[in-house]
Amino acid sequence: MVEAQAHAQAHAGPQGFIRKWVFSLDHKVIGLQYYFLALTAVFVGMFLSLLMRIHLIWPSVSLPLFGEIKPEAYLSLLTMHGTIMVFFVLTTAPQGGFGNYFLPIQIGAADMAFPVINMLSFWVTFLAYMVMLSAFFVTGGAPLHGWTGYPPLSALPSAGPGEALGADLWVISIALFCIGALMSALNFITTTLDMRARGMSLMRMPLTCWAWFITAILGLLAFGVLLAAGILLLLDRNAGTSFFVPLVTINGQLAGHKGGSPLLWQHLFWFFGHPEVYIAILPAMGLCSQLVSVFSRKPIFGYKAMVYAMLSIGIMGFMVWGHHMFMSGMSPYSGFAFSVMTMAIGVPSAIKTFNWLGTLWGGKIRFSSPMLFAIGFVSLFVSGGISGPFLAQPVLDIPLHDTYFVTGHFHLIMGVASIFGIFAATYYWFPKMFGRLMNERLARWHFWFSLVGTYAIFMPMHYLGMAGHPRRYSELTEVGYLHNLLPLQKFITYVAFITIAGQFIFLFNLFWSMKFGKKASDNPWEATTLEWTTATPPPHDNFAGRTPVIHHGPYEYSVPGEPRDFVMQTDPLTVAVR
Amino acid sequence: MGLVLLIIIWLITIISSYFFVARTWWFPVGASAAAASIDHYFTVTLLLMGIVFVAAQGILGFFAWRYRDRGTSSVAHYSHGNDRLEIAWTALTFILFVGLNLMSSSIWASERFRPAQPGAVQVEVTGMQFQWYFRYPGPDGKFGATKPELIDPSIGGEGAVGLDATDPASKDDLVTGTMYLPVGREAEVILRAHDVIHSFFVPGMRFKQDAVPGLAIHMHFTPISTGDYEIVCAELCGLGHYKMHGMLKVVSQQEFDAWLAARESEKQ
């Protein structure tokens, strides 16, 4: 059955430019499309954050082209930075980009289960991205309600600049994104369940595939809820309904709503929003498990534990959303229950960390650039994770909620740790995607800039938070105790300049290596998974008409008695192993 | 490369930890009855998580150096893991995390599960773009009615919260822009918002609670030392969010009574 499907799809690739590169059905091309969309998004998002950092410490400076950044413009930058980064980078690159490109190859399939749906999901995402960016250019500018869009602020056009057309575009964009993500999730799940090559049992899948699979399940369950919430918000804004808005007055004017609940939005949003952080980081977890094993030349420590840990993160990820709402007016009894669940979800995350360390232990570590970023990921994951148990406690949320402590926490773990996953994936799979290696020396410089810069930017945010610095303040001039924190804010901005400059090393390396990089062999890292058994770049049907047969799990490195220190998944082991 | 990684990771760990230990930037002095236990609990969490942080980063750096590829002289150890170890660290983390959680539950319960005591000073706190208003019930101890259609922030004071002058109970209600509280007595705050969500955050009191349109949220805290404490807004509420701040003045009971009487007579 599986074989028949694979044969049926072993067709010649399309020849015309449009069918090959624009409206392509090939999962590899779609993967690259997602990747380059995310690449532009990450630089846009990063640029917005730089403008925010500049405004924060020099509120009245006039920038070339932009002029002075006003407080409301700061909030628009903040909203768009968060939204673009979360949706169009962290959700898009690891899953839509690398997942699309490598899931079918790693399980030995010729393509995704539904190539047309795959193409549609990219183009809907692209449309969502364009709608999001257009919010900058309408009257009133981009919305200022933050990426979480809490109503009534996000529901009332009169609540502030940017809350008119800009906010409508924001909601429409997110709804479109949800549609794209739902289609994509369906495709990933079906592909993983139905398209695996002979011998590729679930427990022989690379951990990357497990991560993409679980991420897709989370996406399927989470994005549907956000889509519904987004539609309700759009109705509240434009059709006079009151799902989220009670009787309120803005500037002495009754807003014309009655009986809605602002907390309902928060429940719906975070029911999506918390699984979303796992959607962003699970692919990076899977990838780093892979890389730590490949470059330590050792099997992954505790493969089954890793799978179960990811599964339990996936399940429990849906039971903890209330920890974003300890201070919201939600029942304090619910707060207690959510905090117990949240502390419990720390356990599988800790298991993963132990297993990464266990894999390094006794290894023979090669410090190629993907491995550097994988080690950086583990370090950031620990540092960002360790502040989790603080914020998971309602009692400690009293002083810490909505302060920079939270900003530091989620940037380390959900933001930059996931971005390190994207970097690691880029350095690791670049030779397979483009047939050349990226420059190692530049990659190392990029790594050191990014690692040290990330810590220097986000660690001090924890100190700001303890001192009571609220998030989302466009200026520090109005509150007395914030004056003392200005030097630390200045330090963060200076480091941000340097760290952002360091990212151009990556950009240069990426495009330079496409043309001038050293030619790569089919398996430059001496890894065992299926993408390294096929040609570089892979042919249209991935395996040139062959159907791979899988003999064992993905991490057979340094098996005693084997001639080489790695055994491809398609090669039988010559010695019997446990 | 292994050695460089070890040095950088260890340096990052040491420098990050130093500022937590040295308390270079720290919480403001806690001036409420709950502050001591919240701060103590923070310190306990910091200590335990600090140990995990230093240990994990320390081991990561050490392993990177110790198990670097040393050519033919080093051989990777072939192992798929160890179930007993997995069970051990799962159990240990579970005990650590859930134990930590249960430790804090009594503080949370005393802050949020019980209502304010009968003798508490009642203050209604209203957040509106971009100002805090504080309403005291006056000598009759009753808050008068408010009406949304009467709300007009441009008038300020009673008009800003839409006080209904036709209600007899509203005659002696006081609305101020600065919050006064007597020291050593529990304060019951009733949090409201009339436009968007705000969050009433007093770092010195270790107190924070969102004010949500449509809800009247009853909370309490007890100031234990006199002085001025800044109030800020902790929930993004619009373009003036950064300047939505106020002042809490904690004074002796006599001063508080005198202040109330003076404001009352001003009003008549």
Side-chain angles (χ1 to χ4, degrees), chain A residues 71-72 75 144-146 150-153 159 161 246-252 254 262-263 266 296-302 305 326-329 332-333 336 339-340 343 346-347 350-351 354-355 357 360-367 372 375 378-379 382-383 386 389-390 393-403 444 447-448 451-452 455 459 462-463 466-468 470-475 478-481 485 488 556-560 577-578, chain B residues 1-2 4-5 8-9 12 15-17 19-20 25-28 38 41-42 45-46 49-50 52-53 56-57 59-60 63-65 67-82 85-86 89-90 93-94 96-98 100-102 104-105 107-108 111-113 129-130 148-149 151-153 193-197 199 201 203 206-210 212-215 217 230 232-245:
Chain A
E72 58 268 33
L75 295 179
L144 47 66
H145 52 228
Y150 280 11
L153 184 60
L247 199 159
V248 291
T249 24
I250 292 266
N251 297 321
L254 284 174
L263 287 190
Q266 295 184 26
S296 298
R297 315 308 293 166
K298 269 190 68 192
I300 188 79
F301 195 95
F326 290 147
M327 300 297 123
S328 69
Y333 300 99
F336 175 69
S339 82
V340 176
M343 291 304 264
V347 177
I351 293 172
F354 286 126
N355 283 328
L357 295 176
L360 292 174
W361 167 74
K364 188 175 174 172
I365 304 172
R366 299 175 181 175
F367 295 104
L372 288 179
I375 291 176
V378 175
S379 174
V382 169
S383 303
I386 222 80
F390 290 83
Q393 311 282 351
V395 168
L396 297 183
D397 258 35
I398 296 174
L400 296 177
H401 175 74
D402 259 327
T403 67
R444 284 181 184 183
F447 172 71
W448 296 119
L451 183 76
V452 177
Y455 273 108
M459 214 24 114
H462 296 82
Y463 314 139
M466 291 190 298
R471 291 169 70 180
R472 295 162 166 170
Y473 269 36
S474 56
E475 286 173 25
E478 302 294 318
V479 178
Y481 68 83
L485 301 174
L488 203 50
E556 294 302 339
Y557 293 96
S558 305
V559 186
V577 291
R578 186 168 66 94
Chain B
M1 185 56 64
V4 186
L5 264 173
I8 300 274
I9 291 177
I12 287 171
I15 296 171
S16 305
S17 311
F19 291 110
F20 281 102
W25 296 278
W26 202 247
F27 296 93
I38 292 175
Y41 183 68
F42 181 86
T45 310
L46 183 64
M49 290 301 128
V52 177
F53 172 65
Q57 303 285 6
I59 292 170
L60 180 64
F63 280 6
W65 167 74
Y67 298 111
R68 68 196 182 279
D69 186 353
R70 281 178 288 188
T72 46
S73 67
S74 64
V75 181
H77 174 66
Y78 181 77
S79 153
H80 278 277
N82 182 323
L85 268 177
E86 300 282 353
W89 58 48
T90 305
T93 341
F94 187 81
L96 172 70
F97 283 0
V98 175
L100 205 54
N101 188 264
L102 295 178
S104 75
S105 56
I107 315 172
W108 178 245
E111 285 302 289
R112 305 278 161 132
F113 287 3
Q129 289 181 331
F130 301 97
E149 55 271 29
I151 291 174
D152 185 358
H194 288 312
D195 42 27
V196 300
I197 301 174
S199 188
F201 180 27
R206 303 291 184 275
F207 185 85
K208 183 185 288 136
Q209 174 59 48
D210 285 5
V212 184
L215 298 181
I217 300 170
E230 276 184 289
V232 295
C233 178
E235 184 63 68
L236 176 58
C237 61
L239 69 97
H241 175 50
Y242 70 100
K243 56 185 175 189
M244 181 163 170
H245 84 304

Side-chain angles (χ1 to χ4, degrees), chain A residues 49-65:
Chain A
S49 70
L50 187 65
L51 292 178
M52 284 158 63
R53 291 306 318 176
I54 291 172
H55 173 77
L56 210 48
I57 65 166
W58 300 301
S60 51
V61 73
S62 187
L63 294 169
L65 294 176

Side-chain angles (χ1 to χ4, degrees), chain B residues 211-223:
Chain B
V212 184
L215 298 181
I217 300 170
H218 290 248
M219 290 281 160
H220 53 84
F221 64 92
T222 311

Side-chain angles (χ1 to χ4, degrees), chain A residues 304-319:
Chain A
K304 275 187 193 163
M306 287 304 229
V307 172
Y308 296 147
M310 283 198 282
L311 281 171
S312 46
I313 286 174
I315 294 165
M316 284 199 279
F318 279 101
M319 303 176 193

